[in-house]
Amino acid sequence: MSVVEVPARRIVALAASAFVVLAAEPLFVLVDTAVVGHLGRVELAALGAAGTVMTMLAVLGSTLEYGTTGRAARYFGAGRRPAAVNEGVQASWLALGIGLLAVLVGELVARPVVEAVTGGPGTVADEATQWLRIAILGLPGILLVLAGNGWLRGVQDTRTPVRIVVVANLLSAIASPLLVYPAGLGLTGSAIANVLAQWVGAALCLRAIRAERVPLAPDWTVMRSQLVVSRDLVIRALAFQAAYLVAAGVAGRLGAAQLAAHQIGLQLWEFVALLLDSFAIAAQALVGAALGGGAVAAAKSTAWRVSRYGLVAGVVFGAVMAGGWYLVPALFTSDAGVREQAHVLWPWLVVMMPVAGVVFALDGVLLGAGDNAFIRTITVVAVLGGFIPLCLLALRLDWGLSGVWAGLAAFIGIRFAGMVWRTRSGHWLVVGEQR
């Protein structure tokens, strides 16, 4: 990476590849939510509660993905592709070990954690626990896919991740409605479809590593380094999930309609957030490679260009959501009470989009630079200083879902201010194969 300007077509190619990969999983979740939503509000609320727990477990493992991309990108930028791929090999070993441990722990604590989210024992908790105990069997597969995406993005492979995720999620999108309705499995069918997709994706990621013909033995030195890099990202992920658990817990205590509407809104938010994150992933790969090759000017230029692209995308998604105020909630539920609650949170969903586009792009810039300590700190500050306090006040002062989503908006706003300041400061511009 010796040029000052990264070609726009390279940014677009990486972002487009990431867009497809990121869109596939939430698209399946949205399809799954729509399928389950027509079973009834209890099943939809159960999916919301159990899905929150499952996401928490998976996101903790996603630290491997982000850490692997940054490390692999620096080696790739320095012209050392085998070393970059080795980061993926070692991340896959970690993913398998962490995933199996998480399955064991998850099966043991499924019931009490679900009840903490739903507000106690009941029909929703029963359904959610049953779904979670099946879905969690796919967790090692999820982590293997995350590790695979990490190194593939690091070496700027724009095709393989797309093929993997499309095949796996297409299979699951077909299986979910068939298992839920014709097979008569109900909510359980949704969980089985999830597991199928996750393990098919994992097998395809392992096949991609074998095709590189690099040594596959575990290397404890590299794995230890990856764990050190991931430390701050784990804290960041824990802060994210603590906030989302509190939000789901508050929504659950407001009522089944509120929790179901929160599930719809949260899945739409995460869907759009992941799509906006495509620019972050492009930035992460390009910035990491630029700094690995010593091209500071290219890294700075890429940071602000990707941020502008993120802003434009955020405006577009915000406009789409504003136009779908009536139609979109109706696609997910026929329950009038749930639709009414979805309309309560909708303005927050719309106004956050443009700001989020910039936040996610700069997140990718700093991740690519390995500035993990700052990312950790600003996330914790935003959670403890904005998200969680407003959620708890929403419950205490009877603000309803509007208060919960005001907390999410504050979370995005605080991170926006911090990341713009950090990027302008230039403290993240550290060159070399590893930070």
Side-chain angles (χ1 to χ4, degrees), residues 109-179:
V109 304
R111 182 73 194 195
V113 172
V114 163
E115 288 184 0
V117 173
T118 60
T123 305
V124 172
D126 292 341
E127 294 280 351
T129 300
Q130 184 178 11
W131 185 93
L132 183 59
R133 289 192 185 282
I134 297 171
I136 203 171
L137 298 175
L139 190 57
I142 294 175
L143 302 191
L144 284 167
V145 170
L146 292 173
N149 282 336
W151 74 265
L152 287 165
R153 291 167 181 168
V155 300
Q156 299 185 19
D157 184 335
T158 60
R159 296 182 179 180
T160 305
V162 171
R163 290 197 295 266
I164 290 171
V165 78
V166 168
V167 169
N169 284 281
L170 182 60
L171 171 64
S172 193
I174 294 171
S176 180
L178 292 176
L179 292 174

Side-chain angles (χ1 to χ4, degrees), residues 47-389:
L47 180 62
T52 298
V53 177
M54 189 67 180
T55 299
M56 177 187 68
L57 295 171
V59 167
L60 291 178
S62 71
T63 58
L64 280 175
E65 178 182 26
Y66 292 118
T68 302
T69 296
R71 288 173 59 88
R74 283 182 177 258
Y75 280 126
F76 181 72
R80 298 183 59 198
R81 184 184 177 97
V85 177
N86 185 54
E87 293 293 327
V89 172
Q90 306 312 318
S92 296
W93 280 111
L94 284 174
L96 184 60
I98 293 170
L100 292 174
L101 179 61
V103 169
L104 177 61
V105 174
E107 294 288 353
L108 291 174
V109 304
R111 182 73 194 195
V113 172
V114 163
E115 288 184 0
V117 173
T118 60
T123 305
V124 172
D126 292 341
E127 294 280 351
T129 300
Q130 184 178 11
W131 185 93
L132 183 59
R133 289 192 185 282
I134 297 171
I136 203 171
L137 298 175
L139 190 57
I142 294 175
L143 302 191
L144 284 167
V145 170
L146 292 173
N149 282 336
W151 74 265
L152 287 165
R153 291 167 181 168
V155 300
Q156 299 185 19
D157 184 335
T158 60
R159 296 182 179 180
T160 305
V162 171
R163 290 197 295 266
I164 290 171
V165 78
V166 168
V167 169
N169 284 281
L170 182 60
L171 171 64
S172 193
I174 294 171
S176 180
L178 292 176
L179 292 174
V180 169
Y181 291 108
L185 297 178
L187 193 58
T188 298
S190 161
I192 295 172
N194 273 270
V195 174
L196 285 174
Q198 289 144 10
W199 278 108
V200 167
L204 293 174
C205 283
L206 294 176
R207 179 185 175 188
I209 286 182
R210 288 182 60 86
E212 294 285 334
R213 300 187 182 279
V214 298
L216 301 178
D219 185 329
W220 298 109
T221 301
V222 175
M223 281 191 272
R224 279 195 299 269
S225 297
Q226 289 181 341
L227 288 173
V228 170
V229 169
S230 297
R231 178 186 57 207
D232 291 328
L233 299 182
V234 168
I235 295 172
R236 171 180 179 264
L238 285 171
F240 268 110
Q241 295 313 307
Y244 283 121
L245 277 174
V246 169
V250 170
R253 285 160 177 78
L254 293 173
Q258 286 86 344
L259 180 56
H262 180 69
Q263 165 68 4
I264 292 173
L266 190 61
Q267 291 302 331
L268 286 168
W269 164 251
E270 291 182 349
F271 172 63
V272 175
L274 286 174
L275 298 185
L276 291 173
D277 221 21
S278 61
F279 292 106
I281 289 169
Q284 191 179 1
L286 292 169
V287 167
L291 293 177
V296 173
K300 290 176 65 176
S301 173
T302 300
W304 294 116
R305 291 173 69 198
V306 172
S307 298
R308 290 194 295 271
Y309 295 160
L311 175 61
V312 172
V315 170
V316 171
F317 283 123
V320 170
M321 285 297 169
W325 178 85
Y326 179 81
L327 176 62
V328 176
L331 294 176
F332 292 96
T333 180
S334 54
D335 189 304
V338 176
R339 291 201 303 270
E340 180 181 356
Q341 289 300 317
H343 292 154
V344 169
L345 62 85
W346 213 258
W348 297 105
L349 184 64
V350 171
V351 300
M352 286 190 296
M353 295 297 176
V355 180
V358 178
V359 169
F360 299 149
L362 293 181
D363 202 42
V365 168
L366 298 181
L367 283 168
D371 197 13
N372 299 336
F374 177 80
I375 294 174
R376 171 209 66 203
T377 300
I378 192 62
T379 301
V380 171
V381 168
V383 166
L384 298 181
F387 201 157
I388 288 179

